[in-house]
């Protein structure tokens, strides 16, 4: 039997997920072989794997303070209103993430953080040990329009994982999960209000990617002509 834990994203609603995981830690409950986290859920799950209770919730409270994470005045400067790069300081200075302990606890298990490949809009299930823990978390939290919109890992641009696979149950089953625990940040019967917008943005991303490739071909052809 392979037990999986899925932690949904949800911005500041991740505070709920962190409360559930804090209760798990308080009772030394961690029977899972596979962990899958999306967006903000990746932060909560990382602290859970490292067994650092209260760190995620305290980090969320810290971020909620005025202009520390959300700054609407940035809109006047054509800058993103959320600074996801603040997670570097969170994990290293304010609420240090014990990566060594996390990697020890994950040995023989699997942890996938869902990101969305910006070139095609498809989900990518990143291994934070291989791709860099903070890097993978930031990529999974990089919302289009609201944050910087992308985070580059090994030459590939990724954005918020919820756009590619907001609740990766199917992927968990494909990877052998026979028992799945899901921590949601929205009611199971709640319909996604912005589903149409998400589909539209995915199509825009695909079209932009195609346009970018087309422009590159034109530029290369122009360079070849100039060289000849």
């Amino acid at each position: 039997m392979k037990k999986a834990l899925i932690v949904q994203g949800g911005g500041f609603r991740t505070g709920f997920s962190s409360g559930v995981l804090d209760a798990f830690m308080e009772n030394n409950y961690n029977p899972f072989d596979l962990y899958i986290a999306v967006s903000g859920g990746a932060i909560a799950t990382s602290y859970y794997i490292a067994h650092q209770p209260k760190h995620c919730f305290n980090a969320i409270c810290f971020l909620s303070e005025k202009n520390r994470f959300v700054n609407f005045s940035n809109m006047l400067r054509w800058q993103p209103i959320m600074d996801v790069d603040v997670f570097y300081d969170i994990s290293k200075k304010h609420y240090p993430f014990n990566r060594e302990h996390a990697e020890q606890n994950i040995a023989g298990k699997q942890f996938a953080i869902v990101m969305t490949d910006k070139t095609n809009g498809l989900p990518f299930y990143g291994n934070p040990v291989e791709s860099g823990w903070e890097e993978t978390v930031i990529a999974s939290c990089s919302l289009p329009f609201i944050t910087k919109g992308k985070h580059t890992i090994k030459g590939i641009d990724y954005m918020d994982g919820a756009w590619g696979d907001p609740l990766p149950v199917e992927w968990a089953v494909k990877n052998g999960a026979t028992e799945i625990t899901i921590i949601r940040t929205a009611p199971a019967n709640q319909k996604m209000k912005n589903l149409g917008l998400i589909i539209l943005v995915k199509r825009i991303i695909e079209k932009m990617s195609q346009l970018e490739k087309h422009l590159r071909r034109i530029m290369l052809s122009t360079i070849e002509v100039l060289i000849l």
Side-chain angles (χ1 to χ4, degrees):
M1 179 179 290
K2 190 173 185 178
K3 296 183 178 182
L5 172 68
I6 297 175
V7 184
Q8 189 179 27
F12 285 105
R13 288 177 295 178
T14 301
F16 170 79
S17 303
S18 70
V20 175
L21 294 174
D22 281 346
F24 283 3
M25 285 185 273
E26 186 178 339
N27 290 277
N28 293 313
Y29 181 75
N30 190 349
F32 306 108
D33 310 293
L34 170 62
Y35 309 82
I36 315 168
V38 185
S39 194
I43 303 170
T45 307
S46 295
Y47 281 126
Y48 171 61
I49 291 172
H51 200 85
Q52 294 179 273
K54 303 295 183 182
H55 267 49
C56 182
F57 182 77
N58 289 335
I60 291 171
C61 292
F62 176 80
L63 288 172
S64 68
E65 294 179 15
K66 186 177 180 181
N67 295 340
R68 184 161 274 151
F69 178 56
V70 180
N71 188 347
F72 289 102
S73 65
N74 281 348
M75 296 175 66
L76 301 175
R77 297 187 289 270
W78 295 97
Q79 294 178 355
I81 63 172
M82 291 184 182
D83 179 18
V84 291
D85 288 333
V86 74
F87 293 140
Y88 286 121
D89 286 340
I90 291 289
S91 66
K92 289 179 171 60
K93 183 170 63 176
H94 302 294
Y95 297 95
F97 171 62
N98 192 334
R99 176 169 179 165
E100 182 180 355
H101 198 183
E103 291 188 4
Q104 290 174 355
N105 291 343
I106 206 75
K109 300 182 178 184
Q110 185 179 2
F111 181 25
I113 294 178
V114 185
M115 306 176 285
T116 302
D117 188 326
K118 193 173 181 181
T119 60
N120 55 29
L122 297 176
F124 179 79
Y125 306 88
N127 182 336
V129 177
E130 297 176 354
S131 301
W133 213 295
E134 288 86 355
E135 302 295 329
T136 312
V137 168
I138 289 173
S140 185
C141 294
S142 294
L143 278 164
F145 314 121
I146 305 299
T147 72
K148 60 183 181 177
K150 68 176 182 178
H151 191 70
T152 305
I153 300 176
K154 297 181 179 179
I156 300 175
D157 292 338
Y158 295 103
M159 62 181 193
D160 194 281
W163 294 82
D165 192 355
L167 207 61
V169 174
E170 184 177 347
W171 191 85
V173 173
K174 286 181 178 178
N175 281 268
T178 53
E179 184 177 314
I180 302 173
T181 299
I182 302 174
I183 301 177
R184 300 183 60 113
T185 51
N189 60 353
Q190 179 177 311
K191 293 183 179 180
M192 192 176 294
K193 296 180 181 178
N194 297 322
L195 181 59
L197 176 61
I198 291 174
I199 294 172
L200 176 61
V201 171
K202 281 189 174 183
R203 288 177 179 171
I204 291 172
I205 291 167
E206 291 170 1
K207 293 294 182 183
M208 288 177 66
S209 180
Q210 292 169 7
L211 178 60
E212 184 180 357
K213 290 177 182 177
H214 181 61
L215 289 173
R216 283 180 182 175
R217 285 196 295 269
I218 293 174
M219 289 176 66
L220 288 173
S221 299
T222 304
I223 291 169
E224 287 175 0
V225 170
L226 290 172
I227 290 174
L228 293 173

